[in-house]
Amino acid sequence: MTSGLSTSSSTQVLDFEEFMESLFPEPSDQTDSSLTKALGKGFTLCLTFWVHSFFNLLYRVRNQAEILPYFHKSKLSGDQKICLDLKKYPREVGPTKKSVPKEPSPSVTNNFGETLEQTVVLETADVSRTTLVQNDLPTTPQPTEPTPTKTATYSLKSSGMCIPHPSKAATGGEDAHFYTANGCGVFDGVGGWAATGVMDAAAFASGLMTESKAEAVACLADSTEFDPQASLQSAFEKVVSRDIGGSSTALVVSLQDKGLLRASLVGDSGFVVVRNRHIVYRAPIQQHYFNCPFQLGRDSDKPKDACQIEVQVEQGDIIVSATDGFWDNFFEEDIVRSLWVWEWCEEQRKEEALAQFFCEKAYELSRRKDGLSPFAVASRNAGGHHKGGKTDDITVVVSQVVLQLPSA
């Protein structure tokens, strides 16, 4: 009886252990290997994530430190040449040559993988009109009643800045610019005239700027459209009638009703339209040959040779207008990369901060003795061997398209 009980109890324990082992088998070597691999992949992913986060934090801190100076500087005036503290930009002694525009380059892909428009070079005045119209804006429905209705109006909110060539810091250089609510303009006087006896090589560009701005202001007062081509023709005739020597490239831009942007361009100044961090339009340049842009003058090119441009813009578009001192040192894709300045700055100072950043950065790049720049690329395409940046007067006007809704 005792033996029987003992045998029965032993059998019950053995069955239970076998049952537990069947439910939870001991891991094999293959299971250990799979678990080790999974843990290793998980650790690698975590380490990669934390390293990426660390360097991203460093990048943001660096950008914040770089932009802070643009938040606290006094507001710049728009109707005259604006220069930084000249002590910050030491003078260099040496002759100055006219800057040249960018040569056609292979298509450039922006950060979104989209191919940007190539630069167009107009070799002769015969190909002098370029039109690009984008019907992106919805048409305003016509009122069913004959009573007049108020419509939204477009205007420009702008700011500009100029940094002269290091050797011309005392005189302010030969660039000139203006901006109003209905347009803007940049003008680059040809400094080479000083060597021929012209007392003030900047006078021609300054005269074009003064007359063009006066026309824009008058149109604002009369509530009429500012015609850039007519303004450029009138300004040229008035400057020539005063027997002012020299010559100048010219770019006059105006914003018409329903968001139509019109421009008249002579030479290698230019502008781009940026929308949603993408360059949607780049103005062509005009040059007779390398290092010889079109320029207005008594014995040079005339306003009829201007490239006339039309492009549809939208609310919030950013327009960057500049002389060749900027384009010779700033790649187009770098304009998009620099928009963090716009996004970080307070609303009322966005245009001022971005114009100042573009000028200072282009000035810094122009003083490089090696490396690649748009001017160096153009030089190589023409058979030259230029390296680094190109020193010159640098003028930039940044404008934002603003849609003003009618008051109730």
Side-chain angles (χ1 to χ4, degrees):
M1 190 69 176
T2 307
S3 174
L5 291 174
S6 174
T7 303
S8 175
S9 175
S10 175
T11 302
Q12 291 178 359
V13 172
L14 180 61
D15 293 340
F16 178 75
E17 292 177 351
E18 291 178 352
F19 174 72
M20 294 298 292
E21 289 179 357
S22 66
L23 290 179
F24 304 100
E26 295 182 0
S28 61
D29 295 340
Q30 183 177 2
T31 304
D32 291 341
S33 177
S34 301
L35 181 61
T36 302
K37 291 181 179 179
L39 291 176
K41 291 182 179 179
F43 176 77
T44 302
L45 290 175
C46 292
L47 180 61
T48 303
F49 171 77
W50 286 111
V51 170
H52 174 77
S53 300
F54 174 74
F55 281 102
N56 187 46
L57 178 62
L58 289 181
Y59 175 77
R60 290 178 177 273
V61 171
R62 171 185 173 273
N63 283 351
Q64 185 176 11
E66 187 173 355
I67 192 178
L68 284 178
Y70 301 99
F71 292 164
H72 306 292
K73 296 192 177 181
S74 60
K75 186 170 182 60
L76 303 176
S77 172
D79 57 356
Q80 56 185 342
K81 300 178 183 179
I82 306 300
C83 303
L84 297 181
D85 184 3
L86 300 181
K87 297 180 181 179
K88 186 175 179 181
Y89 307 102
R91 296 183 57 182
E92 291 182 354
V93 179
T96 302
K97 295 183 179 179
K98 181 71 183 70
S99 296
V100 297
K102 295 168 57 177
E103 286 288 315
S105 58
S107 58
V108 179
T109 303
N110 69 352
N111 297 339
F112 296 89
E114 300 168 319
T115 302
L116 304 183
E117 181 180 344
Q118 294 188 19
T119 300
V120 180
V121 178
L122 304 182
E123 295 293 347
T124 65
D126 296 333
V127 189
S128 61
R129 182 175 179 84
T130 299
T131 303
L132 175 63
V133 179
Q134 302 172 354
N135 298 319
D136 295 335
L137 294 177
T139 57
T140 303
Q142 297 295 328
T144 56
E145 300 180 0
T147 56
T149 58
K150 296 182 179 180
T151 59
T153 58
Y154 286 85
S155 64
L156 294 176
K157 181 183 177 186
S158 307
S159 184
M161 186 175 182
C162 172
I163 299 179
H165 187 284
S167 65
K168 305 173 185 177
T171 60
E174 286 99 20
D175 280 6
H177 71 278
F178 79 91
Y179 50 86
T180 59
N182 59 346
C184 65
V186 292
F187 308 87
D188 182 5
V190 180
W193 283 99
T196 64
V198 175
M199 297 298 296
D200 186 4
F204 204 94
S206 180
L208 292 176
M209 180 273 293
T210 301
E211 297 298 335
S212 298
K213 181 185 177 182
E215 179 70 19
V217 172
C219 290
L220 276 177
D222 299 338
S223 298
T224 57
E225 289 190 347
F226 176 43
D227 187 338
Q229 181 63 21
S231 171
L232 190 61
Q233 178 69 45
S234 175
F236 174 78
E237 293 175 355
K238 292 178 180 178
V239 171
V240 171
S241 66
R242 299 172 192 160
D243 199 24
I244 298 177
S247 60
S248 172
T249 66
L251 168 65
V252 180
V253 178
S254 72
L255 184 59
Q256 312 288 331
D257 291 341
K258 298 182 180 180
L260 179 62
L261 190 75
R262 298 180 58 194
S264 290
L265 169 66
V266 178
D268 52 6
S269 295
F271 72 94
V272 296
V273 178
V274 183
R275 179 180 305 151
N276 298 326
R277 299 184 64 87
H278 174 56
I279 295 179
V280 297
Y281 182 73
R282 166 70 160 99
I285 60 174
Q286 289 181 312
Q287 59 177 353
H288 295 288
Y289 50 86
F290 180 71
N291 203 21
C292 184
F294 280 32
Q295 51 195 265
L296 296 176
R298 182 184 300 275
D299 300 320
S300 302
D301 302 296
K302 301 297 185 290
K304 64 180 179 62
D305 301 320
C307 174
Q308 301 180 48
I309 302 167
E310 293 181 352
V311 55
Q312 190 69 38
V313 295
E314 300 177 359
Q315 180 182 10
D317 285 357
I318 303 173
I319 303 168
V320 181
S321 307
T323 57
D324 63 328
F326 174 76
W327 303 114
D328 284 342
N329 295 287
F330 224 90
F331 287 103
E332 292 180 15
E333 54 267 33
D334 292 331
I335 295 177
V336 177
R337 295 192 183 101
S338 302
L339 291 182
W340 59 266
V341 177
W342 180 276
E343 296 165 355
W344 280 45
C345 193
E346 55 189 7
E347 185 65 31
Q348 60 268 30
R349 297 199 64 245
K350 287 182 179 293
E351 297 80 13
E352 178 185 351
L354 190 58
Q356 182 174 347
F357 176 84
F358 279 151
C359 266
E360 291 185 338
K361 192 63 178 178
Y363 181 88
E364 175 186 340
L365 295 173
S366 71
R367 297 174 65 84
R368 294 188 306 169
K369 301 302 181 182
D370 54 9
L372 198 62
S373 68
F375 182 79
V377 173
S379 175
R380 293 180 184 181
N381 291 339
H385 304 282
H386 185 87
K387 295 182 179 180
K390 174 68 169 61
T391 55
D392 196 1
D393 299 335
I394 300 171
T395 299
V396 179
V397 175
V398 174
S399 307
Q400 180 183 14
V401 178
V402 179
L403 180 60
Q404 297 178 337
L405 300 176
S407 57

